[in-house]
Amino acid sequence: MQHQVKLELMDTHAGGDVSRIVTGGIMRLPGTSVRQQMEFLRDQADGLRRLLLEEPYGIPEMSVDLIVPASHPDADWGYIIMEVMGYPIYSGSNTICTATALLESGLIKKQEGVQTFTLEAPAGLVQIEARIQDGVVEAITCEGLPSYIHTYKASIEVPGIGSVTYSIAYSGGFYALVDAAELGFVLEAPEERALADTAHAIVEAIIAETAFEHYALGNVGPLPFLHFMGPVLQLSDTTYRSRSATYVHPGVICRSTTGTGTSARLALMQYEGLIEPGDSLETVSLRDTRFVGTYTGLANQQGQDVVENRITGRSFVLNRAEVIANEDDAMLSPEVVQSLRVLATNRS
């Protein structure tokens, strides 16, 4: 007997990176926190991620954000982030897209002017500031995770490339930070394929040689990100700009500069003594889309100095859709079908 599953989606993008926001059709997940709900999806029902990021329903360059009820009393809603590399505990662009979708769907009522609310990510509570003008979400500012430099200017031999100098930052995931010019790049759109191939080789070499542990979270898995850094231009006493490109392992160059990539850049600039609290960095992508990161202060957590920061960007709604998955469709793997049977509330 044929069974169908229906999921309600709102596709959005921030800086060109598409986030598919799941607004309906999924049951309430087990777990007493959004982090535990994420772990349930990751360990027991990964087929939802695969369904929406693989053909014929999606492509790996997209992300998926599942809106869930918040578990923390101070949060309005929770959300779980899914990408090609798995389940990051935080993402700036996904947070901007999710906040916009909550407002545009009416799950959070719009208020003209500057509106604040709180979301619960797997990483914890995230404060959101939305700027609404004439009913339009003009900008979202969200907290970046406390970021820091784990490794400064290490070097590694990369097959086919040679010696590469890199730093490692944590900003919600570990990032290898490399100078684009040293690798022959100016960070323009025609370089995208070469950037992906170069980043893949560097990340594979680092993973084979080194593992990184977070000061509080411990082992958070193999290195998932690399960020190409262009020259930093000073625009005023407190503002800077840099072309940038973020790579997600394996194989994806993000269309935006990403929020966590921008936070990682702020951590490096602070480490090198180049910025002060209140200074901001505008990162510019291969497609000339932009995020602005602001360094808000330095804190100490469990003996580790961390850079507190905010990320500002804008998200646009692309479409509202109902995805229909037929369980007897040969394009759906048994894992995907089993996950849908566990998760779906609308199965007929």
Side-chain angles (χ1 to χ4, degrees):
M1 179 180 178
Q2 176 177 326
H3 289 284
Q4 290 184 339
V5 169
K6 298 179 181 179
L7 304 176
E8 296 173 14
L9 299 183
M10 180 182 290
D11 281 356
T12 62
H13 86 85
D17 284 325
V18 175
S19 290
R20 320 196 74 181
I21 315 298
V22 183
T23 58
I26 297 298
M27 72 171 196
R28 185 162 190 147
L29 303 177
T32 59
S33 67
V34 171
R35 180 67 171 267
Q36 289 182 2
Q37 293 177 55
M38 178 208 77
E39 291 168 350
F40 171 81
L41 273 185
R42 182 193 66 198
D43 300 338
Q44 304 295 328
D46 186 50
L48 176 65
R49 179 184 68 90
R50 292 186 55 191
L51 173 76
L52 296 175
L53 293 182
E54 296 177 358
E55 294 183 354
Y57 292 92
I59 57 174
E61 287 79 3
M62 294 177 170
S63 299
V64 175
D65 297 289
L66 172 63
I67 292 176
V68 297
S71 62
H72 195 286
D74 293 337
D76 296 271
W77 286 95
Y79 62 111
I80 296 168
I81 307 157
M82 293 169 263
E83 296 184 353
V84 63
M85 45 71 71
Y87 293 79
I89 62 174
Y90 189 70
S91 161
S93 58
N94 281 284
T95 300
I96 291 168
C97 286
T98 299
T100 300
L102 286 164
L103 290 163
E104 295 293 356
S105 67
L107 291 171
I108 293 178
K109 186 177 179 181
K110 289 181 186 176
Q111 300 173 17
E112 196 71 10
V114 176
Q115 176 178 356
T116 60
F117 52 91
T118 303
L119 299 181
E120 183 182 358
L125 296 182
V126 183
Q127 306 303 317
I128 303 294
E129 181 181 282
R131 190 173 76 241
I132 315 293
Q133 184 173 349
D134 298 327
V136 176
V137 182
E138 296 282 354
I140 296 288
T141 297
C142 58
E143 291 180 300
L145 287 193
S147 305
Y148 69 98
I149 296 302
H150 179 285
T151 302
Y152 184 64
K153 290 196 173 179
S155 62
I156 191 168
E157 287 295 322
V158 180
I161 296 175
S163 179
V164 173
T165 299
Y166 68 93
S167 297
I168 297 292
Y170 182 87
S171 55
F174 278 111
Y175 270 84
L177 302 172
V178 299
D179 187 296
E182 289 182 2
L183 294 163
F185 295 111
V186 296
L187 299 180
E188 299 288 351
E191 297 174 326
E192 183 170 343
R193 183 68 263 161
L195 286 164
D197 292 342
T198 300
H200 187 279
I202 296 171
V203 170
E204 284 287 303
I206 295 173
I207 288 174
E209 183 176 285
T210 310
F212 306 100
E213 290 204 356
H214 188 273
Y215 63 89
L217 301 174
N219 185 352
V220 292
L223 179 70
F225 303 116
L226 181 143
H227 191 83
F228 292 97
M229 304 181 295
V232 175
L233 305 177
Q234 185 164 3
L235 306 179
S236 74
D237 288 344
T238 61
T239 59
Y240 301 84
R241 177 183 295 150
S242 176
R243 297 197 68 82
S244 308
T246 289
Y247 165 83
V248 182
H249 198 61
V252 173
I253 293 289
C254 296
R255 289 172 170 82
S256 78
T257 54
T258 72
T260 48
T262 303
S263 295
R265 294 291 302 276
L266 290 173
L268 183 62
M269 291 179 73
Q270 187 280 329
Y271 188 89
E272 294 179 331
L274 301 178
I275 54 174
E276 300 289 339
D279 291 354
S280 63
L281 172 70
E282 180 183 60
T283 51
V284 183
S285 75
L286 302 183
R287 291 167 172 79
D288 290 328
T289 59
R290 298 153 193 257
F291 286 162
V292 174
T294 302
Y295 168 34
T296 58
L298 192 66
N300 189 279
Q301 296 184 356
Q302 301 183 34
Q304 174 67 54
D305 287 338
V306 293
V307 170
E308 297 176 327
N309 61 95
R310 299 194 310 265
I311 303 299
T312 300
R314 185 176 184 183
S315 175
F316 295 87
V317 175
L318 299 174
N319 66 66
R320 304 167 193 257
E322 181 183 70
V323 165
I324 300 173
N326 292 287
E327 293 180 2
D328 60 349
D329 186 341
M331 292 294 291
L332 302 187
S333 69
E335 180 188 16
V336 168
V337 171
Q338 181 58 34
S339 293
L340 294 177
R341 288 174 179 170
V342 170
L343 297 173
T345 60
N346 191 345
R347 182 170 178 259
S348 59

